Amino acid sequence: MILARRSLIAGTAALPAGCDRIAEQPTARRILFLGEDMHRGLQRALSDRNALAPEFTPDQRSPFFRPNGTRDPGTTEYAALRAARFDDWRLKVDGLVARPLSLGLADLGALPQRAQITRHDCVEGWSAIGKWQGPRLGDVLKAAGLRDAARYIVFTCADLYGGEPYYESIDLVDAFHPQTILAWALNDRFLPVMNGAPCRLRVERQLGYKHAKYLMRIQAVGSLVGIGKGRGGYWEDNVDYDWYAGI
Ligand SMILES: Nc1nc2c(c(=O)[nH]1)N[C@H]1C(S)=C(S)[C@@H](COP(=O)(O)O)O[C@H]1N2
Ligand SMILES: [Mo]
């Protein structure tokens, strides 16, 4: 669109006779400049979404990082993983990827790490500051090789709500945001069970419920249709929370 407009104005592209003067017509000019404004607006929106969440100093951390939602998945499967100190836990990465992956804690630890001290804001009205560490989700997705049709990343968890695993999803802007990590450590220790052991999503520009704990599967999809009831997450599907929970 933009390229087409540039070549129209520059008059360089091979166009059907008469088309090279389109940019000089008042109506066409209005439409072209409207396109330009929309393009600028989109750029602005995207760069806002790439802005970093504030980070804090070690002494600003909350003495206790309060848990919310599931505090222990309590399933037989999770109890067995926990009893073996998550040595047998594997995170599946599949869906619209070229190379499906199955990653253990050692694999996550071997990737480049990012640590960040951020504030978690729960929609229920409380916050806590903690230091999270893990690989960037973007690096994991690059290793798996996203297919062109991928638009969303869906997270499936070990804990059950009404018999079904908790699930959440984000788009690719958030998936590749530099502060979006697969955290396996909180305040320099392995994640406590109440905070999502062995691994949870941190997606720092969004509200708490997007930060899926107890990760079991990461799936790249082209659409949210067919995931739960189609609105992209457990709370979105069942309690009308917004899918985009940007802060
Ligand atoms: N699997 C799973 N992830 C979850 C939840 C949950 O119940 N299950 N609760 C969400 C909500 S509402 C919040 S505020 C945060 C709480 O994280 P915390 O327990 O580490 O405080 O996890 C989010 N991720
Ligand atoms: Mo929350």
Side-chain angles (χ1 to χ4, degrees), residues 46 81 235 242:
L46 285 175
L81 291 171
W235 296 111
D242 287 334

Side-chain angles (χ1 to χ4, degrees), residues 68 120-124 126 208-209:
N68 199 38
H120 176 102
D121 295 309
C122 173
V123 73
E124 291 167 26
W126 60 273
Y209 59 90

Side-chain angles (χ1 to χ4, degrees), residues 98-216:
R99 297 169 292 277
L101 306 174
S102 171
L103 304 171
L105 276 177
D107 300 314
L108 295 184
L111 287 163
Q113 301 291 296
R114 178 175 170 99
Q116 56 204 27
I117 302 176
T118 52
R119 195 186 63 220
H120 176 102
D121 295 309
C122 173
V123 73
E124 291 167 26
W126 60 273
S127 299
I129 295 176
K131 176 182 176 185
W132 303 96
Q133 184 188 317
R136 285 191 168 127
L137 173 61
D139 286 344
V140 171
L141 296 175
K142 279 179 203 155
L146 279 190
R147 293 194 183 281
D148 288 348
R151 291 290 177 274
Y152 303 97
I153 306 298
V154 178
F155 304 88
T156 309
C157 306
D159 57 326
L160 308 178
Y161 273 73
E164 298 297 324
Y166 188 91
Y167 54 100
E168 256 305 338
S169 62
I170 58 177
D171 65 15
L172 298 185
V173 177
D174 273 321
F176 285 92
H177 186 283
Q179 288 168 318
T180 299
I181 64 174
L182 299 176
W184 53 268
L186 168 59
N187 294 330
D188 301 311
R189 293 164 188 265
F190 285 111
L191 290 192
V193 165
M194 63 184 176
N195 301 112
C199 177
R200 63 105 51 89
L201 176 69
R202 292 301 308 172
V203 49
E204 304 293 355
R205 301 287 313 282
Q206 298 229 25
L207 288 171
Y209 59 90
K210 303 296 288 187
H211 301 232
K213 305 194 283 186
Y214 316 112
L215 291 179
M216 297 302 289

